[in-house]
């Protein structure tokens, strides 16, 4: 009980300090207007208290200049708040290129984390300090929300689609991870820890794990186990080399960018996005693949995106 | 008390309360004043149900691991609290009780435009309430009052169907009440009562009625879709069935945000009346206050996306809804400034209704300013779905709407019953409510700032101190709510005779007897002056 509340509420990410500055500005505006209004109410209430029973005060219609003033000043302040907050939000919404991508799957009532190197965690997320981290998240059942107060980040985790958020941890330590979207009976137990480590400690932690298969390796296994190769490696279906990130032409003439969401949709609902030039023979894998397996397959396809990354994979192995 | 109070020492021989007796005379009445009483009894009951749930929640949160109940029970308690308070207490409180009683009296009419429809609205409300209570007694609902999908349609194992049905039914009551009010205000004003002579309470009732008619059908549709998916597995919201879970949130908040203004606009109307009466002054900037109500009603339909800033909607959608949310702050601020300016050079008395009104202005200001934090989209990302939100909307809905409701009840109680309650007890309860409220919800702002999520049955131990403070404040708040229940009931029988106009107020409702006769006015009045004409000779 004596653990001080601020212990886990420090500024531990690149957002935290910027968030704090905007928060202090809003506090200053709020305190100013609170004092102004409460002060005026108290002052008027005492100065103009009823002096005798049938007192009728002088009547005042209103004052246009005052109305305009107390409309325009709030408008101006609101514009400042909007621009400041929106700028921060836009940067928050777009992860920088080269961020380390980590995958998060929410389910009633636990967090499953998968690192590209293959390490899996439950209700814990280990990250290196000083490196931009992008979380790609999805849910197996209902809507969850991945929130880390010390980082000032939060994003809903939805079934059937990917959402993402990013941050650069600036301090090492253990920080609360909460599910912030009510998700059923044990919602308040869907909590965990984010552990920020020095990059060297982090590499040691990654390497010390018993797993030695990366996500892409696991995806490659699924690729053959589920028979994807019978079409996609023979030319009967679109090949995967160079696919990720490219622009795909569909049979209905539309074009789409081959990103995580596109690959997920192709695996689960292939009929919705037929690639031009191939027969409609791809079956759905809805209900057959776990969310983790879809992420692993995607990682495998991503690893074939460029020869450069293929080489990197080869040297690692 | 004005001079008129001393001249009349007895109640009128015949008035709407004693014109006939027996349960039939109440349950089959078409008198808007008696229907207001039917609503008053019903919403008081529902307030007690919702308050009991809140009490159990606050008790449970004294211990980080839960002092009282299992998480599954706690989840049912906050769902019950939210649904009952929103749909069965706050939404009908001021419109259906005070609006019903006052609209005909304030416009110099003998009743609402459709008296039988008015009674039907009450029966629909009670049917919805009964169906909802059945869902509670048959195991309760654990989805939160927001019914988010696919939790509510596929995963929850509780009485979602009957709860959704109760909400669905009760919405029609509000639609019919809104329709009745709009027609009444348009068609039944006394001769000479032009739009810009209307008391501001009527402007806010008018704006509220428009929202009732436009927003309530949306929640009805949403509940039908929810029931279709839950019962017949039609894929609408659950992605496993081919649906879209975000679609539900769009529909729900397209109703849900205007609904917030349904709760607070009537209270703003009440406060305008109270500030004018107890400063004996016309409202400063009448037309700005009137049009700000309409402006708030219109903008309320354009801000629903600020409930979804972290739901994964696109960046630009977020920015647009942030901008609209800032815009709705402007008319709200204009109201606060005008109320404050009305006090300037007034003749201010501190009767209990005025204490509630001043409390409203203070708490609504705090609620509004913290709303700016939430409209600032980057700030919202951290405090969204935390206790900061819980504190913010309780400042608006309890600090705002409930303070306004209680202020209104205290102001018009002598008109409704013909008798006055003990002023000092009423002042004490207003003070206790104000202090208790701040002690309950002030700490919750800090909890949310530290990141404590809402709807948590158990929580990390470092949040305990602030939670205990909040629960302690809630006990003061509960006492503050309990005292009026006793002295108001007592005063209805034993209180001193109030007379037609105990506050020396302007407004047509104060020109007729207290309690008024069944037909409201012996002769339909002719209006020759503006509202709040305190300077004019009366």
């Amino acid at each position: 009980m004596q653990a001080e509340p601020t212990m886990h509420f420090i500024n531990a990410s690149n957002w935290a300090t910027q968030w704090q500055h905007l928060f202090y500005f809003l506090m200053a505006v709020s305190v100013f207007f609170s004092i102004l209004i409460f002060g005026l109410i108290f002052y008027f209430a005492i100065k103009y208290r009823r002096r005798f029973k049938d007192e009728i005060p002088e009547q005042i219609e209103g004052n246009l200049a005052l109305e305009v003033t107390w409309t325009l000043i709030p408008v101006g302040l609101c514009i400042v708040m909007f621009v400041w907050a929106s700028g921060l939000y836009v940067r928050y919404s777009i992860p920088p290129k080269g961020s380390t991508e980590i995958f998060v799957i929410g389910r009633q009532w636990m967090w499953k984390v998968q690192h590209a190197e293959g390490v899996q965690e439950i209700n814990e997320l280990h990250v290196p300090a000083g490196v931009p981290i992008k979380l790609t998240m999805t849910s197996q059942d209902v809507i969850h929300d991945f929130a880390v107060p010390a980082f000032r980040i939060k994003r809903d985790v939805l079934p059937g689609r990917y959402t993402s958020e990013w941050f650069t941890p600036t301090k090492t330590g253990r920080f609360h991870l909460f599910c912030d979207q009510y998700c059923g009976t044990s919602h308040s137990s869907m909590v965990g820890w984010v552990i920020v480590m020095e990059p060297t400690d982090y590499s040691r932690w990654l390497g010390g794990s018993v797993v030695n298969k990366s996500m892409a390796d696991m995806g490659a296994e699924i690729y053959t186990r589920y028979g994807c190769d019978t079409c996609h490696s023979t030319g009967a279906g679109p090949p995967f080399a160079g696919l990720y990130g490219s622009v795909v032409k569909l049979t209905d003439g539309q074009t789409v960018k081959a990103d995580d969401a596109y690959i997920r949709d192709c695996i689960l609902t292939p009929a919705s996005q037929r690639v031009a030039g191939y027969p409609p023979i791809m079956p759905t894998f809805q209900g057959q693949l776990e969310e983790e397996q879809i992420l692993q397959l995607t990682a495998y396809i991503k690893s074939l995106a460029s020869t450069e990354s293929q080489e990197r994979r080869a040297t690692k192995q | 008390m004005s001079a008129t109070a001393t001249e009349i020492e007895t109640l009128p021989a015949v008035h709407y309360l004693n014109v006939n007796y027996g349960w039939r005379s109440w349950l089959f009445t078409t008198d808007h004043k008696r229907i207001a009483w039917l609503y008053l009894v019903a919403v008081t009951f529902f307030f007690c149900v919702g308050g009991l749930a809140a009490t159990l929640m606050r008790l449970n949160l004294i211990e980080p691991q839960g002092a009282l109940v299992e998480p599954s029970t706690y989840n049912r308690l906050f769902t019950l609290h939210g649904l009952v308070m929103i749909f069965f207490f706050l939404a009908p409180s001021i419109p259906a009780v005070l609006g019903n009683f006052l609209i005909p009296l304030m416009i110099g009419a003998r009743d609402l435009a459709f008296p039988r429809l008015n009674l039907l609205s009450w029966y629909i409300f009670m049917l919805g309430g009964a169906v909802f209570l059945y869902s509670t007694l048959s195991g309760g609902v654990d989805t939160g009052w927001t019914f988010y999908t696919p939790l509510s349609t596929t995963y929850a194992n509780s009485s979602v169907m009957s709860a959704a049905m109760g909400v669905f039914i009760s919405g029609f009551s509000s639609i019919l009440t809104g329709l009745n009010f709009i027609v009444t205000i348009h068609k039944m004003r006394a001769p000479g009562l032009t739009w810009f002579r209307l008391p501001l309470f009527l402007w806010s009732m008018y704006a509220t009625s428009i929202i009732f008619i436009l927003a309530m059908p949306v929640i009805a549709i949403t509940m039908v879709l929810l029931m279709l998916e839950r019962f017949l597995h039609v894929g609408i919201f659950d992605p496993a069935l081919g649906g879209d879970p975000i679609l539900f949130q769009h529909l729900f908040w397209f109703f849900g945000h205007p609904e917030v203004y349904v709760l607070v606009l009537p209270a703003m109307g009440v406060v305008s009346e109270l500030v004018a009466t107890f400063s004996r002054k016309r409202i400063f900037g009448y037309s700005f206050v009137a049009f700000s109500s309409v402006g708030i009603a219109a903008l309320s339909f354009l801000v629903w996306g600020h409930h979804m800033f972290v739901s994964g909607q696109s960046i630009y959608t977020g920015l647009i809804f942030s901008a609209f949310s800032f815009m709705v702050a402007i008319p709200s601020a204009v109201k606060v400034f005008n109320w404050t300016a009305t006090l300037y050079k007034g003749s201010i008395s501190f009767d209990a209704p005025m204490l509630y009104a001043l409390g409203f202005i203070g708490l609504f200001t705090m609620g509004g300013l913290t709303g700016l934090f939430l409209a600032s989209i980057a700030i919202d990302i951290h405090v969204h779905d935390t206790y900061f939100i819980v504190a913010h909307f309780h400042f608006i809905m309890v600090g705002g709407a409930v303070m306004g409701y209680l202020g209104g009840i205290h102001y018009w109680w002598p008109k409704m019953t013909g008798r006055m309650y003990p002023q000092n007890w009423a002042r004490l309860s207003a003070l206790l409510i104000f202090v208790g409220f701040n002690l309950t919800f002030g700490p919750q702002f800090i909890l949310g700032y530290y990141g404590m999520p809402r709807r948590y049955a158990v929580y990390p131990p470092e949040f305990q101190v602030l939670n205990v403070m909040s629960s302690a404040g809630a006990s003061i708040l509960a006492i503050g709510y309990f005292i009026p229940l006793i002295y108001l009931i007592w005063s209805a029988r034993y209180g001193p005779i109030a007379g037609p106009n105990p506050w020396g107020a302007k407004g047509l409702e104060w020109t007729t007897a207290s309690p008024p006769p069944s037909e409201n006015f012996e002769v339909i009045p002719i209006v020759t002056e503006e509202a709040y004409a305190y300077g004019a000779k009366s």
Side-chain angles (χ1 to χ4, degrees), chain A residues 8-9 19-20 30 45 48 50 53 55 57 59 61 67 141-142 154 156 161 176 179-180 182 185 187, chain B residues 75 142 155 244 280 282 285 310 338 345-348 350 373 381-382 384-385 449 453 455-456 462:
Chain A
H8 304 292
F9 189 69
W19 188 94
Q20 218 61 32
S30 300
Y48 302 113
R50 190 164 298 167
K53 207 171 83 175
E55 182 185 27
Q59 297 297 305
E61 284 264 341
E67 300 283 351
D141 38 47
V142 301
K154 174 174 304 162
D156 279 4
R161 71 175 77 170
H176 277 301
C179 176
D180 266 20
Y182 175 67
T185 308
H187 167 57
Chain B
N75 297 343
D142 67 346
Y155 291 88
D244 180 353
R280 294 230 173 109
R282 64 171 62 222
V310 300
N338 277 297
K345 290 193 173 173
S347 167
I348 297 163
F350 299 100
F373 289 69
I381 284 171
H382 170 57
H384 201 99
D385 282 324
Y449 170 75
R455 297 172 168 177
Y456 263 31
E462 70 255 32

Side-chain angles (χ1 to χ4, degrees), chain B residues 125-307:
Chain B
F125 174 71
M126 294 308 282
L127 178 66
V131 171
F132 177 76
L133 283 181
Y134 165 79
S135 83
T136 306
L137 296 176
S138 67
V141 203
D142 67 346
T143 61
W145 82 278
T146 45
F147 289 113
Y148 268 19
T149 54
L151 178 65
S152 61
T153 51
T154 306
Y155 291 88
N157 291 313
S158 55
S159 308
V160 177
M161 290 296 282
S162 44
M165 186 54 95
V167 169
F168 173 79
I169 295 170
S170 73
F172 289 93
S173 161
S174 298
I175 294 170
L176 295 179
T177 300
L179 185 76
N180 217 338
F181 286 179
I182 289 177
V183 175
T184 305
I185 294 174
H186 268 279
K187 304 302 288 183
M188 299 183 66
R189 284 170 285 132
L193 187 58
T194 59
W195 282 92
F196 286 96
R197 286 176 175 176
L198 287 178
L200 287 163
F201 179 72
L202 293 180
W203 277 91
S204 74
M205 277 295 120
Y206 189 82
T208 305
S209 302
I210 290 173
I211 300 180
F212 271 150
I213 286 184
L214 294 179
M216 287 296 175
V218 181
I219 189 68
I221 292 163
T222 312
M223 289 298 114
V224 168
L225 294 177
L226 186 151
M227 288 189 276
L228 277 178
E229 179 165 294
R230 185 170 172 90
F231 196 61
L232 299 174
H233 306 290
V234 180
I236 301 161
F237 304 124
D238 186 352
L241 301 170
D244 180 353
I246 298 294
L247 174 65
F248 177 86
Q249 297 179 23
H250 280 294
L251 288 170
F252 185 85
W253 291 116
F254 185 81
F255 144 82
H257 204 82
E259 168 77 5
V260 172
Y261 291 98
V262 158
L263 312 180
V264 77
L265 271 172
M268 292 169 160
V270 168
V271 166
S272 295
E273 300 300 314
L274 301 184
V275 169
T277 295
F278 294 97
S279 352
R280 294 230 173 109
K281 271 187 76 199
R282 64 171 62 222
I283 286 285
F284 193 91
Y286 171 98
S287 54
F288 288 92
V289 178
F291 279 116
S292 64
S293 288
V294 181
I296 289 171
L299 282 170
S300 74
F301 284 96
L302 303 173
V303 298
W304 80 89
H306 69 210
H307 296 268

Side-chain angles (χ1 to χ4, degrees), chain B residues 379-446:
Chain B
I379 296 292
D380 181 75
I381 284 171
H382 170 57
V383 291
H384 201 99
D385 282 324
T386 68
Y387 266 85
F388 195 94
I389 300 282
V390 176
H392 161 73
F393 71 69
H394 279 88
F395 266 75
I396 299 291
M397 293 189 195
V398 184
V402 179
M403 289 295 265
Y405 173 68
L406 288 175
I409 290 285
H410 281 82
Y411 178 53
W412 284 292
W413 187 257
K415 182 55 62 182
M416 295 173 77
T417 64
R419 292 177 186 273
M420 187 57 85
Y421 47 83
Q423 271 301 320
N424 283 334
W425 280 106
R427 289 191 183 110
L428 175 71
S429 77
L431 194 68
L432 282 177
I433 290 172
F434 184 81
V435 171
F437 176 85
N438 279 297
L439 290 176
T440 308
F441 294 102
Q444 296 188 9
F445 275 124
I446 307 172

Side-chain angles (χ1 to χ4, degrees), chain A residues 161-162 244 257-266 273 298:
Chain A
R161 71 175 77 170
Y162 295 119
Y244 190 86
K257 187 162 182 269
D259 56 8
D260 292 14
Y262 166 78
I263 291 168
R264 186 178 193 285
D265 288 347
C266 286
Q273 299 185 341
T298 309

